[in-house]
Amino acid sequence: MDKKVPFNLDTYDLKEELDRLRGKVKKPNILIAGATGSGKSSVVNHVFGRDLTKVAAGEPVTRGIHQFMSDDIAIVLYDSEGYEIGSARQQAYADEVIGFVERAQTKGAAEQMHLVWYAINASMKRVTPLDRALIKQLNEATSVAVLLTQIDQVDMEELTALRNELADVVPEQAVFQVSVAEELLNDPELRAHLDWERLVTWSVEQLDQSLQEGLLMEIHAESEAMLKLKRKKANRIISGYVASAGTAAAVPLPFADAIALTPIQVTMSVHLFRYWGVKANDDMLKTLIGSTIIPQIGRALSKTILLNVMKFFPGANAAASVINATVASGITWAIGLAINEVAYRNAMDSSKTIEQLLNSDFGSLFEQFMEQNPVTKKKS
C-alpha cells in the first residue's frame, strides 16, 4: 500500500479551492416582477443586504428584462422594468414576462426560472386585473410569491382586502406582506407583522435541494429564525464531505495522516466559511485554518478520539491508531457540525470574532457532537 502523504497547508491552493467551490454551487434563477413603483428594488436590497444590480454584471435578455449575474454571487437575478398602471405598455409587459418565463421552462434545469417574486404596492390599495392575470399565468409555470410591499402605508382592513383579492389567484401561504420602513423593522412588535423571514423560508423550500445553498448564501439573514434555517440547511453540505471521508477511509488509515490534517476536512471548513459569508480574504482564511482549525481538530482528536474511540465506534482499532470508514465519517460529521455551530454563533452575536469562538467553543462542540454519534445512530 502506498504511504499517505500528510496534508500540508503551505502547499494548499486556497484560491483554486474557492474557485472550484464557486463553480460547484448551483445558482437559482429568480425573476422580480411587478408594476413600476411596486418596490422591486427595495425587496432585492433588503433580502440580499445589497443592490445586486450594482455589483453584478447586467445584460438585457428581452426588451424589458435584464439578467444580473457574477461569479461571486450565488444566484442569478432577472429584473423586469415594470409598467405604468393604465399605460399602453401594460399588455406588452404581460406578454414579455409570460413569454420569457414560459420559454425558460422549456430549457434545461439551470436555465429555468426557479422563483418569481411579484411585487404589488399595497399603498395603491388595489390589485389590478393585469396583476391577477399575470400572477395566475406565472403560477402555472413556476413558483410565485406575491409581495404586498409598503404595508406601513395601509391599515389592517385595507391589507385584508388586498389579500382577499388574491385568494383565488395564489395560495394564501404564497402571499407575503413586507415593508422596509425603519419604524416597522426596528420595533419587535410591529416587525411581527412583516413576512420577510417567511418569504425566505418559503422560497428556499420551493427550490430543489441542490439550489437551496445558493439562495441561502446570498440571504442577508438577520433574525434568529433565518439563521437557524441557514444552520439546518448546512447539514447537506457537511453530508457530502462525510461521504467523501468514508470513501477515503475504506481501507483503514493512520490517525495523523487521515484525520487531523485531511484535505477533505479542510475543504469542508472553507466551504462552510464561504457559505456563512465569513469576512476574510484568502490569506486571512488560510491563516485561520492553519492557526485555529487544524490545531483545534488535533487537540480534540488527541483528547477525545484516542481515549474514547472504542466507546463511540465499537470495533474500531484504537490500539493500532487507525480508523475505518465509520470512524472517519463520524469524526468528519462532528467537525462539520462544530464549525457550523461556531459560524452560527458568530452570526447571532458578532461581539466575538470567528477566531475567538473557534478557540473557545470548537473543542467542546466537537466532543458534544462525537457523543451524539449521528453517523452510527442515524444515517444523515
Side-chain angles (χ1 to χ4, degrees):
M1 183 187 300
D2 293 338
K3 179 178 173 54
K4 296 288 180 181
V5 177
F7 175 74
N8 186 346
L9 187 66
D10 292 335
T11 60
Y12 181 71
D13 193 331
L14 181 60
K15 184 179 185 306
E16 180 181 330
E17 192 58 45
L18 284 168
D19 289 341
R20 188 186 69 81
L21 290 171
R22 289 188 188 100
K24 284 184 64 178
V25 174
K26 294 184 178 180
K27 301 182 179 185
N29 299 317
I30 303 175
L31 170 67
I32 182 82
T36 302
S38 60
K40 297 189 298 291
S41 296
S42 296
V43 168
V44 171
N45 295 349
H46 184 80
V47 172
F48 299 112
R50 54 181 173 166
D51 186 350
L52 295 186
T53 66
K54 296 290 194 296
V55 298
E59 62 177 50
V61 291
T62 71
R63 179 171 176 265
I65 298 175
H66 282 69
Q67 177 196 73
F68 294 90
M69 64 185 301
S70 167
D71 289 343
D72 295 324
I73 296 175
I75 68 163
V76 180
L77 179 70
Y78 292 84
D79 186 21
S80 65
E81 291 180 357
Y83 67 92
E84 296 289 345
I85 294 177
S87 70
R89 170 143 170 77
Q90 284 191 171
Q91 190 55 50
Y93 175 81
D95 294 341
E96 190 170 64
V97 170
I98 291 297
F100 170 70
V101 172
E102 289 183 343
R103 286 192 300 274
Q105 303 313 83
T106 66
K107 300 177 181 178
E111 297 179 79
Q112 292 177 8
M113 206 52 45
H114 304 116
L115 288 172
V116 174
W117 290 345
Y118 195 101
I120 296 175
N121 186 342
S123 69
M124 301 298 292
K125 301 179 183 178
R126 65 172 174 146
V127 179
T128 70
L130 178 63
D131 287 332
R132 286 175 53 85
L134 249 177
I135 293 166
K136 198 164 188 176
Q137 283 184 270
L138 288 169
N139 198 46
E140 292 173 358
T142 188
S143 298
V144 180
V146 178
L147 282 62
L148 299 175
T149 65
Q150 301 182 42
I151 66 161
D152 54 292
Q153 298 183 35
V154 296
D155 58 32
M156 190 59 69
E157 184 177 339
E158 291 166 332
L159 190 57
T160 300
L162 287 172
R163 297 183 73 99
N164 289 339
E165 287 191 58
L166 294 164
D168 62 338
V169 180
V170 288
E172 183 180 359
Q173 61 266 29
V175 180
F176 306 87
Q177 50 196 51
V178 298
S179 171
V180 294
E182 293 297 326
E183 59 267 28
L184 269 68
L185 292 173
N186 295 331
D187 186 315
E189 186 174 338
L190 294 176
R191 188 184 175 99
H193 295 284
L194 302 179
D195 291 330
W196 289 117
E197 288 81 5
R198 194 169 67 83
L199 168 65
V200 173
T201 302
W202 179 91
S203 298
V204 169
E205 296 302 336
Q206 301 310 301
L207 297 173
D208 181 81
Q209 281 194 347
S210 64
L211 295 167
Q212 292 178 355
E213 178 183 343
L215 179 56
L216 284 166
M217 283 177 64
E218 294 303 330
I219 292 299
H220 179 59
E222 297 177 299
S223 69
E224 183 177 359
M226 286 311 312
L227 292 170
K228 283 183 176 179
L229 175 65
K230 190 163 184 172
R231 179 179 61 179
K232 175 183 176 182
K233 293 297 181 180
N235 286 350
R236 186 173 184 274
I237 297 173
I238 298 167
S239 294
Y241 292 98
V242 168
S244 297
T247 300
V251 176
L253 299 171
F255 277 120
D257 291 348
I259 299 300
L261 301 178
T262 176
I264 293 171
Q265 291 155 348
V266 171
T267 301
M268 177 178 65
S269 303
V270 173
H271 195 158
L272 289 168
F273 285 146
R274 180 171 181 268
Y275 171 77
W276 279 99
V278 172
K279 304 299 183 185
N281 60 37
D282 290 358
D283 289 339
M284 288 175 61
L285 194 53
K286 195 168 183 177
T287 299
L288 179 63
I289 292 168
S291 64
T292 306
I293 293 292
I294 291 176
Q296 283 286 5
I297 291 173
R299 282 194 288 271
L301 287 172
S302 62
K303 178 182 177 181
T304 305
I305 306 305
L306 295 178
L307 294 176
N308 300 293
V309 69
M310 295 298 290
K311 170 185 172 183
F312 296 140
F313 305 101
N317 190 349
S321 294
V322 297
I323 60 162
N324 58 26
T326 301
V327 178
S329 299
I331 293 168
T332 303
W333 183 252
I335 291 169
L337 291 181
I339 292 173
N340 192 42
E341 181 64 23
V342 165
Y344 165 77
R345 292 179 182 184
N346 179 243
M348 283 286 291
D349 180 6
S350 59
S351 62
K352 284 188 176 181
T353 67
I354 195 81
E355 295 95 330
Q356 290 172 325
L357 285 169
L358 283 167
N359 281 315
S360 63
D361 296 0
F362 178 88
S364 60
L365 286 168
F366 176 81
E367 291 185 30
Q368 172 189 326
F369 293 124
M370 282 295 293
E371 288 279 0
Q372 293 174 4
N373 196 359
V375 174
T376 54
K377 289 183 179 178
K378 181 179 179 182
K379 293 292 184 182
S380 299

